[in-house]
Every structure is written in structure tokens, then in C-alpha cells.
Amino acid sequence: MALLVHKYGGTSVGNLEKIREVAKKVVDACNSGDHVVVVVSAMAGETDRLFKMAHQVSSEPSQRELDLLLSSGERISASLLAMAIQSMGYRAISFTGRQVGIITDSFHFRARIKKITADRLKEAIEKGIIPIVAGFQGISEKGDVTTFGRGGSDITAVALASALKADRCIIYKDDVDGVYTADPSVVPNARRIKKISYEEMLEMASLGAKVLQSRSVEFAAKFNVPIHVKPTFGEGEGTLVTGEDEEMEEVMVSGVISDKNQAKLTIVGVHDRPGIAADIFGKIAEEGVNVDMIIQNVSEKGLTDISFTVPKSDSKIGFRVTKNMVEKIGAQDVKLDENIAKVSIVGVGMKSHSGVAAKMFAAMAKENINIIMISTSEIKISCVIDSKYAELAVRTLHDAFSLGKQ
Ligand code: ADP
Ligand code: ASP
Ligand code: MG
């Protein structure tokens, strides 16, 4: 008898019919002898709908209120699923994050889990009741509802699997049946990856592959929780995300990812003197804005341009902060460009192969795609390009590294 965590994403519980189907699936798993703890996302589109409403009543909604509002999406799907299971004659009970003791820090919309008690889950499992947990949320030490950021129900699932020492964490998807070499909605001949290391999956997720939330992969790697991404409806084998690196596919590049959720800020005519970068990025960090790539041009006559990228959702704050600094640091101007995309290739094989970057740049050049910024790590290379070429770049790189189906 295994203890399993099942996580159903927004598309899998997107309407009442699908909720009934998921209820059947959960009941079948229990009938085959396993204990199942279920985590659900909000019904597809619900979080966006709530977010939009908040912005209709306020131009800058308070983060505390926003978190309470957004957490309700997952509560709706959790309670509906519990009712659907009950109506089949089985015992089920839904819980909020607070009720299962998910304690977080106080950073709204990007809260990190500090502790999980899971007492009520253990109690339910012992009594043979199927627990359904509303994903994406916890409670701060001050007692306020917090959420984990977009896609955060994956974090709930992995964290509960770890806290309960579950045998497996299965993340069910409706629109894809596993992790692919590229987003299959962009690259039709993308290939399903059977097994992928935490390291590569973490890079892919952080670089914008929507299929798993990056912090859930970070969590899984840290506590060694195997994640199995599988199709909700149907029988596909899916993708295993694990730490064992034997039997991994021996390839140079495993995946291609694009992310249009980036914006570029350029501070023009900055004095090239020690301490200036610390001043600028210190102020930006104070506002909680995450900076990704940074480039500073060679200075001419003591003046230089500094460009950096931030998530699009933070671009207005980033622009305001840097604009306010222009005078103080004696710079000339700040420019914001939201029409950019980051295109990346990921693969542990890069550690032992040379010429990967050259091949990437050559493939883009052949399509006349101009590279605006570059950053590299041991297992990834990212380029910032004009967003209108994002899909073309992904397909081109996918072909250049022969990632498609044979
Ligand atoms: P859920 O509703 O289950 O949370 P998501 O919408 O968060 O599902 O994630 C699935 C989406 O991720 C798919 O629509 C797919 O197009 C996209 N995606 C992006 N990159 C990849 C990839 N490399 N492999 C699989 N899916 C991907
Ligand atoms: N409902 C949240 C979102 O749409 C969290 C999740 O789906 O995992 O981002
Ligand atoms: Mg998701």
C-alpha cells in the first residue's frame, strides 16, 4: 500500500465534468489499495479572473487582500472535488492551506514555506478519509493568508509529499502528457522526455517552461521527492523528474525554452565609477524586484549604459525606481523595452561539450535573429531577442540540436 500525492492542475479541474472525472480517478486509486492525498489548483482561468477583478476595483491592490482573494480559487475546486467524491459514496474532506498547517513567511504572493504540521491530513488518512487540499496557499506566522506565486499548487503538492514522506508525487496534466523538449504548443514535433534530472528540470522551469513551477522542483531536489508528471485522462507514461542520474538520456541539449514575460531596462549615460552598480541594484532589490540578466557596455568618455532584465510584472516598479535615481547618479535617461523574449537551451551535456554556444548563435544568425543580451551557466545558455522572433527561435534551435521526434 503506497501513500501518493496526486496534484491536479487548473486545466484538469477546468469544469464540473472534469471534476467528476478526477473524482473517479481518485476513488479508483484508493480502491486499488493506495492512500491518496489530493492537491488541486483553481479551475482554469479562475485566478486570472480574480486578479482582473482586483485590478478593476483598485489600480494597486494591497498584496494582503490579493492573497486572500486569490486563495479562494483553490478553495472552490477543493470543496467541489470533495463533494463530487462524497456523492460517489466515499468519504472525502477538503482543507485550506492553514487547516493542514502550512506555515509560511509573510511575503505575499511569493511566500515560502517554513513549516508543515499536516496533522489533520495524517488524521484523515488514518480514518480512511480522502483529503483534498487547496493548493497554492499557506498562512503566515502573523496569521494572514499567503500564496506561493503563479503555478504555486505544484509547491503545495511537493511540500506535502515531503512532509508526509509519500512514496510518490504525481502531477497530473490535462493539456500535455509530460515534460517535452520544448513547449508542444509552439513546436509540434517536440518529444516527450522520459526521465529528467532535477538540475535540468529546475533550469527549464526557471527559464519559463510552464509545465512545472520552478520552486516546486527546487523543493523536490532538496528533499529528494521524485515527481512524476502524467496525463490526467489517459494512460501515458509521462515524465519522471528525479535525482538519479544513471539511465538519463545522454544528450548535449535537453530542451529549448522561451519566456516573453521579461522586460529590459536601460540606464543611459551612467558615470563609470566604483559603487554605481551597487547603488542602482541595491535600490531595485529594496523594492523586491528580481533582476535576471545584466550587461554594462564598455565606457566611452567615462559614461556607460547599463541594461538589465526584470519580470514584466515588475517592470513598472523597476522603471519608477531607476527613473527616480537618474538625477542622483548623474545618468541621462531610462528606457523600458517590453517587447523582448528570453530564449534558452538547457542540458547537462553542455558541461562536457564545447561549441554549444557557437552552434546556438549560428542557428539564430541563419534566421536573421539579432541577439541583444547573452548569459550562460554550466548547463544553460540564454539570449534576449525581439519578442516577435520568440517562436521562430525556439523552433530553429529545436531543429539545430535535433531534438524532435525521429
Ligand atoms: P496545469 O493546468 O496542469 O497547471 P499548466 O498550464 O501550468 O498546467 O502547464 C502546462 C502547459 O505548459 C501546457 O499548456 C504546455 O503548452 C506548457 N509547456 C511549456 N513548456 C513545456 C514543456 N517543455 N513541456 C510540456 N509542456 C510545456
Ligand atoms: N491558481 C494558481 C495559478 O493559476 C496556482 C496554480 O494553478 O498552481 O497560478
Ligand atoms: Mg500549472
Side-chain angles (χ1 to χ4, degrees), residues 7 9-11 173 175-176 178-180 182-185 204 209-211:
K7 184 259 168 177
T11 43
K173 301 248 151 216
D175 45 2
V176 275
V179 179
Y180 277 69
D183 186 340
S185 65
M204 282 178 66
K210 257 185 31 198
V211 64

Side-chain angles (χ1 to χ4, degrees), residues 7 41-42 47 74 136 150-154:
K7 184 259 168 177
S41 287
T47 309
E74 270 65 13
F136 172 60
R150 296 310 302 261
S153 300
D154 291 348

Side-chain angles (χ1 to χ4, degrees), residues 37-59:
V37 171
V38 183
V39 174
V40 285
S41 287
M43 295 165 81
E46 181 65 7
T47 309
D48 287 337
R49 191 182 72 88
L50 296 169
F51 201 79
K52 214 162 135 195
M53 279 205 291
H55 285 85
Q56 280 164 350
V57 293
S58 161
S59 59

Side-chain angles (χ1 to χ4, degrees), residues 94 236 275 349 356 366:
S94 63
V356 183
K366 213 169 148 207

Side-chain angles (χ1 to χ4, degrees), residues 300-334:
E300 246 179 73
K301 297 184 193 130
L303 292 182
T304 182
D305 292 351
I306 297 180
S307 293
F308 57 97
T309 59
V310 297
K312 226 176 226 170
S313 54
D314 287 343
S315 63
K316 300 282 181 298
I317 307 176
F319 185 71
R320 174 167 50 76
V321 176
T322 35
K323 193 89 185 162
N324 287 342
M325 290 185 77
V326 160
E327 214 169 299
K328 185 180 156 239
I329 59 175
Q332 290 162 359
D333 199 6
V334 181

